[in-house]
Amino acid sequence: MIRPSFGQQADIAWRAALPVGLTILLLFVALLSWHLPRLGMIASALVLISVFFWTVHQPGLMSMWGVLSIGLLHDFLMLAPFGVGLLVLLIVHGIALWQRKPLNGMPFFLIWAVFGLVAAGATLLTWLLVSFLQETLVNPAQAFNLFLLEFVCYPPLAYVFAWIERRLLPTD
């Protein structure tokens, strides 16, 4: 049996870490100071979109442990109530994993609609948990804006992720 060279092993490892690494990169890029009002919400939207997409298309590369590490980093960097983002991302991961097979044969618009339902549920859960933990009713307009941001950003990000998947990742 021929053992892969160090370069081949590094290439395999790099490709395997791409979905989780790309999600973490999106989190950091979204947290940069862009001097635009209310852009802080985009980090949560990008992370949710990335976790959903990669769980549906490459579940072996977006594992529960990867989502756990992304969620911990997200909660730490966002300075939100700790554990809320982590819990929501793990639930989204679980739903996407559960619905992976039916979603694989669907046209894009139906996948987008399913993502919209998942994002609406995730946003509602986040809003409820944050309101409960802060012991005050958080403005629901912020939650609605986050949902709209997630829903609108899904198609362009899914296009980029699909391009990356076709070019760089093996089929699962």
Side-chain angles (χ1 to χ4, degrees):
M1 177 183 215
I2 298 174
R3 190 177 148 159
S5 69
F6 176 75
Q8 290 171 328
Q9 289 176 353
D11 183 57
I12 291 168
W14 176 83
R15 290 173 191 252
L18 187 62
V20 173
L22 184 61
T23 305
I24 291 171
L25 179 67
L26 283 172
L27 175 63
F28 281 119
V29 168
L31 288 175
L32 291 175
S33 178
W34 294 99
H35 301 293
L36 296 172
R38 302 180 193 263
L39 195 62
M41 292 189 310
I42 199 165
S44 296
L46 295 178
V47 168
L48 185 84
I49 291 167
S50 186
V51 166
F52 180 84
F53 180 89
W54 291 115
T55 301
V56 168
H57 294 279
Q58 292 285 338
L61 302 181
M62 183 59 80
S63 68
M64 178 187 67
W65 299 108
V67 174
L68 181 74
S69 61
I70 292 165
L72 285 171
L73 188 61
H74 173 270
D75 284 353
F76 178 72
L77 294 175
M78 292 295 290
L79 302 174
F82 198 74
V84 172
L86 171 64
L87 177 64
V88 169
L89 287 177
L90 285 173
I91 290 172
V92 166
H93 175 71
I95 291 170
L97 204 55
W98 172 52
Q99 290 299 310
R100 176 182 184 265
K101 289 194 192 288
L103 287 174
N104 272 335
M106 287 187 182
F108 174 76
F109 289 108
L110 288 177
I111 295 172
W112 188 20
V114 170
F115 171 77
L117 293 173
V118 171
T123 304
L124 179 64
L125 180 61
T126 301
W127 178 74
L128 289 171
L129 289 172
V130 169
S131 293
F132 176 75
L133 291 172
Q134 291 184 351
E135 298 177 353
T136 184
L137 204 57
V138 177
N139 185 2
Q142 292 175 338
F144 184 71
N145 289 340
L146 176 61
F147 164 72
L148 286 179
L149 187 64
E150 292 163 346
F151 191 70
V152 168
C153 287
Y154 184 80
L157 279 175
Y159 178 80
V160 171
F161 292 158
W163 183 87
I164 290 170
E165 181 184 26
R166 281 192 307 272
R167 301 292 187 286
L168 301 176
L169 297 177
T171 56
D172 196 26

